[in-house]
Amino acid sequence: MVSVIFSSLAQSSLSAFSNPTYAFLLKPNRNFSQRFSYPPLPCSPFRRRHSSICFDSSKEDSGANFPGKEVLRRWDVPWEWQTVSLTSFACGLSFVLTGLVEAAAVPYLGLQIGELSLDEKAEILFVDQGITTAVVLGVIYGITNTFQPLPDDFLRYDLREPFSLQKGWLLWAGIGLFGAIIAIALTGAAMSLFSGETPERETDALVRLLPLIGSSSISTACLVGITGVLAPLLEETVFRGFFMVSLTKWVPTPVSVLISAAVFALAHLTPSEFPQLFVLGTALGFSYAQTRNLLTPITIHATWNSGVILLLTFLQLQGYDIKELLQASS
């Protein structure tokens, strides 16, 4: 049971390798054929009235007088469904095209993929994720900025009062992370109990990633940078900060949380991990709805992903066969 839970937690955080750049870059080695799929542009130093993406300096809304009430409140969305559809399509297209352009550009940079070391491949993956992050977030920032001035709770990153009972981003990140761990562990155990089929770990993104894990401090740092910084920043801005918030124009906030969680899980292109990813997305959505501060789901997501990488690295360095452990949990 412990191995089932461990595998379930690990798989749900590392199942997003699907960008064309990764497939091309790591083609000579079948162990590296995917990438992390999916975070905001550097924050503006100006006050909120000048930018919708910045560290908020306005006073918090005092409308909520008890914890949990914010979850039910909708955002005041200034755009219509056409903008939501266009922005979502543009983000997806930008993600794919960025990967294709980078893959096509690699040979012109004089890089011989087959001759690159693991560290060099990890570094290129980090740079690629950074470029993708900037491009996709540039799309969101560019489109939403046309609706200025935006309400204060849009694309908000507020470092103040991390332990506030009502909107403390760090407090609710801890609560959300604890709830997500318990829920995903139970989901994985239930799937293992009721499923009659054994998943194919050989085609799993986590198994493909294993050669990089623990190979060197550089590779580990790049993986933590990708999974613990860039990916959470991008995914939470796209799925929670824009998509989930936009849905509240037409449906109640809890429903928008569930819909965005489902889209979040589907976007990772790993059907076998959909239940765990859906549960994780739900925890991320409700934590964001409570605080209306993107630092909350970003912190949960970053802690989750980087924690898995560091745990696997530790076990690898201790001599454990991680691949065998994961396969044994099937």
Side-chain angles (χ1 to χ4, degrees):
M1 177 63 70
V2 173
S3 63
V4 171
I5 293 176
F6 170 78
S7 175
S8 204
L9 296 177
Q11 293 294 333
S12 63
S13 66
L14 298 172
S15 56
F17 279 80
S18 59
N19 186 277
T21 305
Y22 286 83
F24 173 79
L25 176 64
L26 303 173
K27 186 176 181 181
N29 187 337
R30 291 175 62 87
N31 288 328
F32 298 91
S33 62
Q34 294 188 3
R35 67 160 280 182
F36 289 91
S37 64
Y38 297 81
L41 291 173
C43 197
S44 168
F46 298 103
R47 294 171 63 87
R48 172 156 295 281
R49 66 174 179 269
H50 297 294
S51 173
S52 63
I53 299 185
C54 68
F55 290 96
D56 181 71
S57 60
S58 61
K59 294 182 179 180
E60 291 187 352
D61 180 14
S62 60
N65 51 23
F66 64 90
K69 183 178 180 180
E70 287 294 318
V71 174
L72 302 178
R73 187 164 65 90
R74 299 187 186 188
W75 276 261
D76 184 16
V77 180
W79 46 74
E80 299 296 333
W81 66 268
Q82 294 93 334
T83 301
V84 179
S85 301
L86 173 63
T87 306
S88 300
F89 176 77
C91 286
L93 183 62
S94 299
F95 175 79
V96 174
L97 290 181
T98 301
L100 292 175
V101 170
E102 291 172 354
V106 167
Y108 294 98
L109 297 176
L111 299 175
Q112 301 296 325
I113 301 303
E115 298 176 2
L116 295 179
S117 66
L118 292 180
D119 285 349
E120 291 171 331
K121 290 180 177 180
E123 291 168 353
I124 292 177
L125 294 181
F126 178 80
V127 172
D128 169 67
Q129 182 66 56
I131 295 173
T132 302
T133 295
V135 171
V136 175
L137 288 179
V139 171
I140 288 184
Y141 183 71
I143 295 177
T144 58
N145 217 30
T146 62
F147 292 87
Q148 291 282 7
L150 290 174
D152 286 342
D153 56 358
F154 272 70
L155 298 173
R156 174 171 168 261
Y157 306 84
D158 188 356
L159 285 168
R160 299 172 307 149
E161 301 186 31
F163 298 105
S164 167
L165 182 60
Q166 294 181 12
K167 293 187 176 183
W169 62 271
L170 195 54
L171 172 64
W172 285 97
I175 295 173
L177 180 62
F178 178 78
I181 291 174
I182 298 300
I184 290 180
L186 293 176
T187 301
M191 289 178 61
S192 177
L193 180 63
F194 295 106
S195 176
E197 299 180 0
T198 300
E200 286 290 336
R201 299 285 190 203
E202 291 300 327
T203 60
D204 202 289
L206 183 57
V207 173
R208 293 192 180 100
L209 184 63
L210 292 181
L212 275 180
I213 295 177
S215 62
S216 73
S217 58
I218 294 178
S219 294
T220 300
C222 288
L223 287 178
V224 171
I226 294 170
T227 64
V229 179
L230 296 176
L233 198 58
L234 177 59
E235 294 183 5
E236 294 315 307
T237 301
V238 171
F239 290 105
R240 253 61 65 177
F242 175 76
F243 186 66
M244 188 190 95
V245 166
S246 297
L247 290 177
T248 62
K249 187 178 183 71
W250 301 281
V251 299
T253 299
V255 176
S256 73
V257 169
L258 298 178
I259 295 175
S260 62
V263 175
F264 168 76
L266 289 172
H268 284 74
L269 304 178
T270 52
S272 63
E273 306 304 327
F274 178 88
Q276 293 97 325
L277 288 167
F278 175 76
V279 171
L280 175 60
T282 300
L284 292 166
F286 278 117
S287 68
Y288 176 47
Q290 170 61 35
T291 64
R292 294 177 178 253
N293 185 348
L294 277 170
L295 290 182
T296 305
I298 287 173
T299 300
I300 297 174
H301 204 151
T303 303
W304 185 281
N305 283 359
S306 58
V308 169
I309 290 292
L310 295 176
L311 175 60
L312 292 177
T313 299
F314 173 78
L315 294 176
Q316 184 83 0
L317 294 177
Q318 295 300 311
Y320 289 92
D321 188 334
I322 306 300
K323 183 176 180 179
E324 181 178 343
L325 175 64
L326 292 174
Q327 290 176 329
S329 65
S330 301

